[in-house]
C-alpha cells in the first residue's frame, strides 16, 4: 500500500475515533490513532466525566488499547480535533506518548479537512524525561 493510501486510511480511522468521543462538557471531541511497527492501529477518543478531572484524553485511550494488545512501540500517532490547525496534544499526553516512542516519532496533527502538521515528538517535548533514565 502506498504511503498516501495508508495516510488516507489512518485519517478515516482517526476521524471515526473522534466521532466516538464522549465530550459533553467541553464539546471538544478528540481522536487518536497509533500505528505500531507492524502496521497495526489502535484508536482512542476522549472520555469526559461529570467529575471533570476524571476524564481521559484520546491519546491515553489509544495507548491503553495498544498496550492491551501487547504492543510497546508507537511508530507514529495521528491526533485529530475540530480545530482547523490540528491541535497539539496536551502536556500529559506528550509525556504518555514519550513512554512508548522516541524523539523522532512523527506526531501527525489533523483537522477534519486532513493532515495539517507533522511534528516530531522532540519538537513537542524537547529534552524529554523517558524510560531510558530509569530502565
Ligand atoms: N483532550 C484530548 O483528548 N487530548 C489532548 O491532547 C488535549 C485535550 C481532550 C480532553 C478534554 O476532554 C477535551 O479535549 C478538552 O480539553
Amino acid at each position: 500500500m502506498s504511503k498516501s493510501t495508508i495516510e488516507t486510511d489512518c485519517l478515516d480511522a482517526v476521524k471515526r475515533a473522534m466521532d466516538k468521543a464522549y465530550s459533553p462538557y467541553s464539546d471538544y471531541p478528540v481522536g487518536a490513532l497509533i500505528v505500531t511497527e507492524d502496521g497495526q492501529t489502535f484508536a482512542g477518543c476522549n472520555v469526559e466525566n461529570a467529575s471533570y478531572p476524571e476524564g481521559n484524553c484520546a491519546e491515553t485511550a489509544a495507548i491503553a488499547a495498544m498496550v492491551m494488545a501487547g504492543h510497546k512501540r508507537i511508530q507514529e500517532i495521528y491526533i485529530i480535533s475540530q480545530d482547523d490547525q490540528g491541535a497539539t496534544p496536551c502536556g500529559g499526553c506528550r509525556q504518555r506518548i514519550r513512554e512508548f516512542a522516541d524523539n523522532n516519532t512523527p506526531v501527525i496533527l489533523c483537522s477534519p479537512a486532513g493532515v495539517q502538521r507533522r511534528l516530531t515528538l522532540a519538537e513537542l517535548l524537547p529534552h524529554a524525561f523517558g524510560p531510558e533514565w530509569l530502565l
Side-chain angles (χ1 to χ4, degrees), residues 37-108:
E37 286 158 323
D38 62 357
Q40 290 189 57
T41 56
F42 298 95
C45 64
N46 53 335
V47 180
E48 297 184 347
N49 192 280
S51 178
Y52 293 174
E54 302 308 327
N56 281 332
C57 285
E59 298 88 331
T60 307
I63 289 169
M66 177 192 77
V67 171
M68 271 303 292
H71 294 271
K72 301 225 167 16
R73 292 311 294 166
I74 297 172
Q75 178 79 18
E76 56 184 7
I77 180 167
Y78 290 76
I79 301 168
I80 189 168
S81 66
Q82 299 287 344
D83 192 294
D84 289 343
Q85 297 177 52
T88 53
C90 76
C93 285
R94 295 175 199 203
Q95 185 67 40
R96 290 187 192 98
I97 294 166
R98 181 63 181 77
E99 187 70 20
F100 303 104
D102 57 43
N103 287 328
N104 300 319
T105 302
V107 180
I108 302 159

